[in-house]
Coordinates of all heavy atoms in Angstrom, one line a residue:
G1 N 4.0 8.3 -16.7 CA 3.0 7.4 -17.0 C 3.0 6.2 -16.1 O 3.8 6.2 -15.1
G2 N 2.1 5.3 -16.3 CA 2.0 4.0 -15.5 C 1.1 4.1 -14.4 O 0.7 5.3 -13.9
A3 N 0.6 3.0 -13.9 CA -0.4 3.0 -12.9 C 0.1 3.4 -11.6 O 1.4 3.0 -11.3 CB -1.1 1.6 -12.9
V4 N -0.6 4.0 -10.7 CA -0.2 4.2 -9.3 C -0.2 2.9 -8.7 O -1.2 2.0 -8.8 CB -1.3 5.1 -8.6 CG1 -1.0 5.2 -7.1 CG2 -1.4 6.5 -9.3
K5 N 0.8 2.6 -8.0 CA 0.9 1.3 -7.2 C 0.5 1.5 -5.7 O 1.1 2.5 -5.1 CB 2.3 0.8 -7.3 CG 2.6 0.1 -8.6 CD 4.0 -0.6 -8.5 CE 4.3 -1.3 -9.9 NZ 5.6 -1.8 -10.0
V6 N -0.4 0.7 -5.2 CA -0.9 0.8 -3.8 C -0.4 -0.5 -3.2 O -0.8 -1.6 -3.6 CB -2.4 0.9 -3.7 CG1 -2.8 1.0 -2.3 CG2 -2.9 2.1 -4.5
Y7 N 0.5 -0.4 -2.3 CA 1.0 -1.6 -1.6 C 0.2 -1.8 -0.3 O 0.0 -0.9 0.5 CB 2.4 -1.5 -1.1 CG 3.3 -1.4 -2.4 CD1 3.6 -0.2 -3.0 CD2 4.0 -2.4 -2.9 CE1 4.4 -0.1 -4.2 CE2 4.8 -2.5 -4.0 CZ 5.0 -1.2 -4.6 OH 5.8 -1.3 -5.7
G8 N -0.4 -3.0 -0.1 CA -1.1 -3.4 1.1 C -2.2 -4.4 0.8 O -2.1 -5.2 -0.3
V9 N -3.1 -4.5 1.6 CA -4.3 -5.4 1.4 C -5.6 -4.7 1.7 O -5.7 -3.8 2.4 CB -4.1 -6.7 2.4 CG1 -3.0 -7.5 2.0 CG2 -4.0 -6.2 3.8
G10 N -6.6 -5.1 0.9 CA -7.9 -4.4 0.9 C -8.6 -4.5 2.2 O -9.5 -3.8 2.4
A11 N -8.2 -5.5 3.0 CA -8.8 -5.7 4.3 C -8.5 -4.6 5.2 O -9.2 -4.5 6.3 CB -8.5 -7.1 4.9
S12 N -7.4 -3.9 5.0 CA -7.1 -2.7 5.9 C -8.0 -1.5 5.5 O -8.1 -1.1 4.3 CB -5.6 -2.4 5.6 OG -5.4 -1.0 6.0
P13 N -8.7 -1.0 6.5 CA -9.5 0.2 6.3 C -8.8 1.4 5.7 O -9.4 2.1 4.8 CB -10.1 0.5 7.6 CG -9.2 -0.2 8.6 CD -8.6 -1.3 8.0
F14 N -7.5 1.5 6.0 CA -6.7 2.6 5.4 C -6.5 2.4 4.0 O -6.5 3.3 3.1 CB -5.4 2.7 6.2 CG -5.5 3.0 7.6 CD1 -5.4 2.1 8.6 CD2 -5.9 4.3 8.1 CE1 -5.5 2.3 9.9 CE2 -6.0 4.5 9.4 CZ -5.9 3.5 10.4
V15 N -6.2 1.1 3.6 CA -5.9 0.7 2.2 C -7.2 0.9 1.5 O -7.4 1.4 0.3 CB -5.4 -0.6 2.0 CG1 -5.3 -1.1 0.6 CG2 -4.0 -0.7 2.7
A16 N -8.4 0.4 2.0 CA -9.7 0.4 1.4 C -10.1 1.8 1.1 O -10.6 2.1 0.0 CB -10.8 -0.3 2.3
T17 N -9.8 2.8 1.9 CA -10.1 4.2 1.8 C -9.4 4.7 0.5 O -10.0 5.4 -0.3 CB -9.8 5.0 3.0 OG1 -10.5 4.5 4.1 CG2 -10.1 6.5 2.8
V18 N -8.1 4.4 0.4 CA -7.3 4.8 -0.7 C -7.9 4.2 -2.0 O -8.1 4.9 -3.1 CB -5.8 4.5 -0.6 CG1 -5.1 4.6 -1.9 CG2 -5.3 5.3 0.5
L19 N -8.2 2.9 -2.0 CA -8.8 2.3 -3.2 C -10.1 2.9 -3.6 O -10.3 3.1 -4.8 CB -8.9 0.8 -3.0 CG -7.7 0.0 -2.6 CD1 -8.0 -1.4 -2.4 CD2 -6.6 0.1 -3.7
L20 N -10.9 3.2 -2.6 CA -12.2 3.8 -2.9 C -12.0 5.2 -3.6 O -12.7 5.4 -4.6 CB -13.0 4.1 -1.6 CG -14.4 4.5 -1.7 CD1 -15.3 3.4 -2.4 CD2 -14.9 4.7 -0.3
C21 N -11.0 6.0 -3.2 CA -10.8 7.3 -3.8 C -10.3 7.1 -5.3 O -10.7 7.8 -6.2 CB -9.8 8.1 -3.0 SG -10.4 8.6 -1.4
L22 N -9.4 6.1 -5.4 CA -8.8 5.8 -6.8 C -10.0 5.3 -7.7 O -10.0 5.8 -8.8 CB -7.7 4.8 -6.7 CG -6.4 5.3 -6.0 CD1 -5.5 4.2 -5.6 CD2 -5.7 6.3 -6.9
E23 N -10.8 4.5 -7.2 CA -12.0 4.0 -8.0 C -12.9 5.3 -8.3 O -13.3 5.4 -9.5 CB -12.8 3.0 -7.2 CG -12.3 1.6 -7.3 CD -12.3 1.0 -8.6 OE1 -13.3 1.3 -9.4 OE2 -11.5 0.1 -8.8
E24 N -13.1 6.1 -7.4 CA -14.1 7.2 -7.6 C -13.6 8.2 -8.6 O -14.3 8.8 -9.4 CB -14.4 7.9 -6.3 CG -15.3 7.1 -5.4 CD -16.7 7.2 -5.9 OE1 -17.2 8.2 -6.4 OE2 -17.5 6.2 -5.8
T25 N -12.2 8.4 -8.6 CA -11.6 9.4 -9.6 C -11.2 8.7 -11.0 O -10.9 9.4 -11.8 CB -10.3 9.9 -9.0 OG1 -9.5 8.9 -8.6 CG2 -10.7 10.7 -7.7
G26 N -11.5 7.4 -11.0 CA -11.1 6.7 -12.2 C -9.7 6.6 -12.5 O -9.2 6.5 -13.7
A27 N -8.8 6.7 -11.5 CA -7.3 6.6 -11.7 C -6.9 5.3 -12.1 O -7.6 4.2 -11.9 CB -6.7 7.0 -10.3
D28 N -5.8 5.3 -12.8 CA -5.2 4.0 -13.3 C -4.3 3.5 -12.1 O -3.4 4.2 -11.7 CB -4.3 4.3 -14.5 CG -3.7 3.0 -15.0 OD1 -4.2 2.0 -14.8 OD2 -2.7 3.3 -15.8
Y29 N -4.7 2.4 -11.5 CA -3.9 2.0 -10.3 C -3.9 0.5 -10.2 O -4.6 -0.3 -11.0 CB -4.5 2.5 -9.0 CG -5.9 1.8 -8.6 CD1 -5.8 0.7 -7.8 CD2 -7.1 2.2 -9.0 CE1 -7.0 0.0 -7.5 CE2 -8.2 1.6 -8.7 CZ -8.2 0.5 -7.9 OH -9.4 -0.2 -7.6
E30 N -3.0 0.0 -9.4 CA -2.7 -1.4 -9.2 C -2.5 -1.7 -7.7 O -1.7 -1.0 -7.1 CB -1.4 -1.8 -10.0 CG -0.9 -3.2 -9.9 CD 0.5 -3.4 -10.5 OE1 0.9 -2.5 -11.1 OE2 1.0 -4.6 -10.2
L31 N -3.3 -2.7 -7.2 CA -3.0 -3.0 -5.8 C -1.9 -4.1 -5.8 O -2.0 -5.2 -6.4 CB -4.3 -3.6 -5.2 CG -4.3 -4.1 -3.8 CD1 -3.8 -3.0 -2.8 CD2 -5.5 -4.8 -3.4
V32 N -0.8 -3.8 -5.1 CA 0.2 -4.8 -4.9 C 0.1 -5.4 -3.6 O 0.4 -4.8 -2.5 CB 1.6 -4.1 -5.1 CG1 2.7 -5.2 -5.0 CG2 1.7 -3.4 -6.5
P33 N -0.3 -6.6 -3.4 CA -0.5 -7.3 -2.1 C 0.8 -7.6 -1.3 O 1.8 -7.9 -2.0 CB -1.3 -8.6 -2.4 CG -1.1 -8.9 -3.8 CD -0.6 -7.6 -4.5
L34 N 0.7 -7.3 0.0 CA 1.8 -7.6 0.8 C 1.4 -8.8 1.7 O 0.3 -8.9 2.1 CB 2.3 -6.5 1.7 CG 2.9 -5.3 1.0 CD1 3.4 -4.3 2.1 CD2 4.0 -5.6 0.1
D35 N 2.3 -9.6 2.1 CA 2.0 -10.7 3.0 C 2.2 -10.3 4.4 O 3.3 -10.3 5.0 CB 3.0 -11.9 2.7 CG 2.6 -13.1 3.5 OD1 1.9 -13.1 4.4 OD2 3.1 -14.2 3.2
M36 N 1.1 -9.8 5.0 CA 1.1 -9.3 6.4 C 1.5 -10.3 7.4 O 2.2 -10.0 8.4 CB -0.3 -8.6 6.7 CG -0.7 -7.6 5.7 SD 0.4 -6.2 5.5 CE 0.1 -5.3 6.9
A37 N 1.1 -11.5 7.2 CA 1.4 -12.6 8.1 C 2.8 -12.9 8.2 O 3.4 -13.2 9.2 CB 0.6 -13.9 7.7
A38 N 3.6 -12.6 7.1 CA 5.0 -12.8 7.1 C 5.7 -11.4 7.4 O 6.9 -11.4 7.2 CB 5.4 -13.3 5.6
R39 N 4.9 -10.5 7.7 CA 5.5 -9.1 8.1 C 6.3 -8.5 7.0 O 7.3 -7.9 7.3 CB 6.2 -9.2 9.4 CG 5.3 -9.7 10.6 CD 6.1 -9.7 11.9 NE 6.6 -8.4 12.4 CZ 5.7 -7.5 12.9 NH1 4.5 -7.7 13.1 NH2 6.2 -6.4 13.3
E40 N 5.7 -8.7 5.8 CA 6.4 -8.1 4.6 C 6.4 -6.6 4.7 O 7.3 -5.9 4.1 CB 5.7 -8.6 3.3 CG 6.5 -8.5 2.1 CD 5.9 -9.0 0.9 OE1 4.8 -9.5 0.9 OE2 6.5 -8.8 -0.2
Q41 N 5.6 -6.0 5.5 CA 5.5 -4.5 5.7 C 6.7 -4.0 6.4 O 7.0 -2.8 6.4 CB 4.2 -4.1 6.3 CG 4.1 -4.3 7.8 CD 3.6 -5.7 8.1 OE1 3.7 -6.7 7.3 NE2 3.0 -5.9 9.3
R42 N 7.5 -4.9 7.1 CA 8.7 -4.5 7.8 C 9.9 -4.8 7.1 O 11.0 -4.7 7.7 CB 8.7 -5.1 9.2 CG 7.5 -4.6 10.1 CD 7.5 -3.2 10.3 NE 6.2 -2.6 10.6 CZ 5.6 -2.6 11.8 NH1 6.3 -3.0 12.9 NH2 4.4 -2.2 12.0
T43 N 9.8 -5.2 5.8 CA 11.1 -5.5 5.1 C 11.7 -4.2 4.7 O 11.1 -3.2 4.6 CB 10.8 -6.4 3.8 OG1 9.9 -5.6 3.0 CG2 10.2 -7.7 4.1
E44 N 13.0 -4.3 4.4 CA 13.8 -3.1 4.1 C 13.2 -2.5 2.8 O 13.1 -1.3 2.7 CB 15.2 -3.5 3.7 CG 16.3 -2.4 3.8 CD 17.7 -3.0 3.7 OE1 17.9 -3.9 4.3 OE2 18.4 -2.4 2.8
H45 N 12.7 -3.4 1.9 CA 12.1 -2.8 0.7 C 10.8 -2.0 0.9 O 10.7 -0.9 0.4 CB 11.8 -4.0 -0.3 CG 11.5 -3.6 -1.7 ND1 11.2 -4.4 -2.7 CD2 11.5 -2.3 -2.3 CE1 11.0 -3.8 -3.9 NE2 11.2 -2.5 -3.6
H46 N 10.0 -2.5 1.8 CA 8.8 -1.7 2.1 C 9.1 -0.5 3.0 O 8.5 0.5 2.8 CB 7.7 -2.6 2.8 CG 6.4 -1.9 2.9 ND1 5.6 -1.7 1.8 CD2 5.8 -1.3 4.0 CE1 4.5 -1.0 2.2 NE2 4.7 -0.7 3.5
L47 N 10.1 -0.6 3.9 CA 10.5 0.5 4.7 C 10.9 1.7 3.9 O 10.9 2.8 4.3 CB 11.4 0.1 5.8 CG 10.9 -0.8 6.9 CD1 12.0 -1.3 7.7 CD2 9.9 -0.1 7.8
S48 N 11.5 1.3 2.7 CA 12.0 2.4 1.8 C 10.9 3.0 1.1 O 11.0 4.3 0.8 CB 13.0 1.8 0.7 OG 12.2 1.1 -0.3
R49 N 9.7 2.5 1.1 CA 8.4 3.1 0.7 C 7.8 3.9 1.8 O 7.2 5.0 1.5 CB 7.4 2.1 0.1 CG 7.9 1.2 -1.0 CD 6.8 0.3 -1.4 NE 7.3 -0.8 -2.2 CZ 7.3 -2.1 -1.9 NH1 6.8 -2.4 -0.6 NH2 7.9 -3.0 -2.6
N50 N 7.7 3.3 3.0 CA 7.1 4.0 4.1 C 7.9 3.6 5.3 O 7.9 2.5 5.8 CB 5.7 3.4 4.3 CG 4.9 4.0 5.4 OD1 5.5 4.7 6.3 ND2 3.6 3.9 5.5
P51 N 8.7 4.5 5.9 CA 9.5 4.3 7.0 C 8.8 3.9 8.2 O 9.5 3.4 9.2 CB 10.2 5.7 7.2 CG 10.0 6.5 6.0 CD 8.8 6.0 5.4
F52 N 7.5 4.0 8.3 CA 6.8 3.6 9.5 C 6.4 2.1 9.4 O 5.9 1.5 10.3 CB 5.5 4.4 9.6 CG 5.8 5.9 9.9 CD1 5.4 6.8 8.9 CD2 6.3 6.3 11.0 CE1 5.7 8.2 9.1 CE2 6.6 7.6 11.3 CZ 6.3 8.6 10.3
G53 N 6.7 1.5 8.2 CA 6.4 0.1 8.1 C 4.9 -0.3 8.0 O 4.4 -1.3 8.5
K54 N 4.1 0.8 7.6 CA 2.6 0.6 7.5 C 2.1 0.5 6.1 O 2.9 0.9 5.1 CB 2.0 1.7 8.2 CG 2.3 2.0 9.6 CD 1.7 1.0 10.6 CE 2.0 1.3 12.0 NZ 1.4 0.2 12.9
I55 N 0.9 0.0 6.0 CA 0.1 0.1 4.8 C -1.0 1.1 4.9 O -1.6 1.2 6.0 CB -0.3 -1.3 4.3 CG1 -1.2 -2.0 5.3 CG2 0.9 -2.2 3.9 CD1 -1.9 -3.2 4.8
P56 N -1.4 1.7 3.8 CA -0.8 1.6 2.5 C 0.5 2.4 2.3 O 0.7 3.4 3.1 CB -1.9 2.3 1.6 CG -2.6 3.3 2.5 CD -2.5 2.7 3.9
A57 N 1.2 2.0 1.2 CA 2.2 2.9 0.8 C 1.9 3.1 -0.8 O 1.4 2.1 -1.4 CB 3.6 2.3 0.9
L58 N 2.3 4.2 -1.3 CA 2.0 4.5 -2.7 C 3.3 4.8 -3.5 O 4.2 5.3 -3.0 CB 1.1 5.8 -2.8 CG -0.2 5.8 -2.1 CD1 -0.9 7.1 -2.4 CD2 -1.1 4.7 -2.3
E59 N 3.3 4.3 -4.8 CA 4.3 4.7 -5.7 C 3.6 5.3 -6.9 O 2.7 4.7 -7.5 CB 5.1 3.6 -6.1 CG 6.3 3.2 -5.2 CD 7.1 1.9 -5.6 OE1 6.7 1.4 -6.7 OE2 8.0 1.7 -4.9
D60 N 3.9 6.5 -7.3 CA 3.3 7.3 -8.4 C 4.4 7.9 -9.2 O 4.6 9.1 -9.1 CB 2.3 8.2 -7.8 CG 1.6 9.0 -8.9 OD1 1.6 8.5 -10.1 OD2 0.9 10.0 -8.6
G61 N 5.0 7.1 -10.1 CA 6.1 7.7 -11.0 C 7.3 8.0 -10.1 O 7.5 7.5 -9.0
Ligands
GSH101 N1 -1.7 6.4 10.2 C1 -1.4 5.3 9.3 C2 -2.1 4.0 9.7 C3 -1.8 2.9 8.7 C4 -2.0 1.5 9.5 O1 -2.0 1.5 10.7 N2 -2.1 0.5 8.8 C5 -2.1 -0.9 9.4 C6 -3.2 -1.8 8.7 S1 -4.8 -1.2 9.0 C7 -0.8 -1.6 9.3 O2 0.0 -1.2 8.4 N3 -0.6 -2.5 10.1 C8 0.6 -3.3 10.0 C9 1.6 -3.2 11.0 O3 1.5 -2.1 11.8 O4 2.7 -3.8 11.0 C10 -1.8 5.7 7.8 O5 -2.7 6.5 7.7 O6 -1.1 5.3 6.9

């Protein structure tokens, strides 16, 4: 159970595409914002979600 977590920011077209799909399917999801200016996408924590250090990254159970 639990909502799908989407890490990123809606200004990213890749993230926006994922959010659009989740909205269209009525999925339970949560957008978890990353501080891109602080390069939070390159932290060890985020790299464990996506080794490329990109957004979006998803957690689904
Ligand atoms: N091919 C990648 C592209 C993702 C991508 O390039 N995201 C950009 C934002 S639009 C990003 O994470 N940029 C931050 C960075 O490269 O540090 C995917 O589909 O996930």
Side-chain angles (χ1 to χ4, degrees):
V4 175
K5 282 187 178 169
V6 181
Y7 293 85
V9 292
S12 158
F14 300 104
V15 175
T17 300
V18 168
L19 297 180
L20 192 62
C21 292
L22 290 166
E23 281 289 335
E24 286 287 319
T25 58
D28 184 19
Y29 73 92
E30 175 190 352
L31 177 62
V32 182
L34 295 189
D35 186 345
M36 305 300 286
R39 298 183 63 76
E40 202 178 351
Q41 73 276 23
R42 296 299 155 86
T43 58
E44 203 174 313
H45 195 180
H46 189 74
L47 290 170
S48 74
R49 300 181 197 112
N50 181 347
F52 297 112
K54 300 285 184 181
I55 57 167
L58 306 182
E59 274 177 3
D60 184 15

